[in-house]
Amino acid sequence: VSFDAKKVSATWQWLGKVRSLGRERAGFLRDEEPTLMTLLHLTVRLAPRLDGRDISTICRSMALLGCEPAHATMRLLGAEAIPRISSFSAQSLVTTAWAFATLGVSEPRLFDAIARES
C-alpha cells in the first residue's frame, strides 16, 4: 500500500479514534508500537506535503495517544506549520495548540505564530 500525506493523516486520525474508544493507553501503545514507529517515520518523510488540517489532525491524534516517541515528530510538524500558519482554520489552530500543550511539547515559535494568526 502506497501512503501519501492524506493517508498518513487519515491513519493517525483512525488511531486517535481507536484510542478514544477506551483501549487502555499503555497497552495500546505497547501492542501497536511497531505500527506507530512506522507511521512516525512516514509522517516525517511526508511532513513537507502536509497541509494545515493534516498537521492539526496528526498532532491531535498523537496527543490523544499520549505518544512519547512522537515528541520529535511533533517538533518537526510545528516547524512545518509555521510558514503555513495562515492556511490553518481557527479550529486547526486551537487543536494544534491543544495537542502541543497536552503532550508537553514546548515549541515557542509555533505558539507565537498561532498567537499572531488568531
Side-chain angles (χ1 to χ4, degrees):
V1 171
S2 174
F3 270 76
D4 61 14
K6 292 295 179 195
K7 287 180 184 172
V8 166
S9 177
T11 303
W12 277 111
Q13 184 175 29
W14 179 83
L15 285 172
K17 285 181 181 178
V18 168
R19 167 58 190 104
S20 69
L21 293 176
R23 278 192 65 189
E24 186 262 324
R25 183 177 299 190
F28 178 81
L29 291 175
R30 182 182 56 252
D31 295 346
E32 300 299 331
E33 185 177 1
T35 302
L36 289 172
M37 296 311 292
T38 299
L39 191 55
L40 284 169
H41 291 295
L42 280 168
T43 303
V44 167
R45 193 183 77 196
L46 295 171
R49 297 186 194 117
L50 298 169
D51 64 22
R53 184 175 180 160
D54 294 332
I55 290 171
S56 175
T57 297
I58 292 167
C59 291
R60 177 183 178 276
S61 297
M62 288 178 179
L64 286 171
L65 291 167
C67 189
E68 288 286 326
H71 285 211
T73 305
M74 291 278 289
R75 287 188 181 87
L76 172 70
L77 293 174
E80 290 289 339
I82 293 168
R84 339 177 178 160
I85 205 77
S86 64
S87 72
F88 279 55
S89 69
Q91 181 63 53
S92 291
L93 291 171
V94 169
T95 300
T96 302
W98 172 85
F100 274 81
T102 297
L103 274 180
V105 178
S106 178
E107 210 44 51
R109 288 184 28 212
L110 175 63
F111 279 96
D112 289 345
I114 290 172
R116 280 191 307 273
E117 194 60 33
S118 53

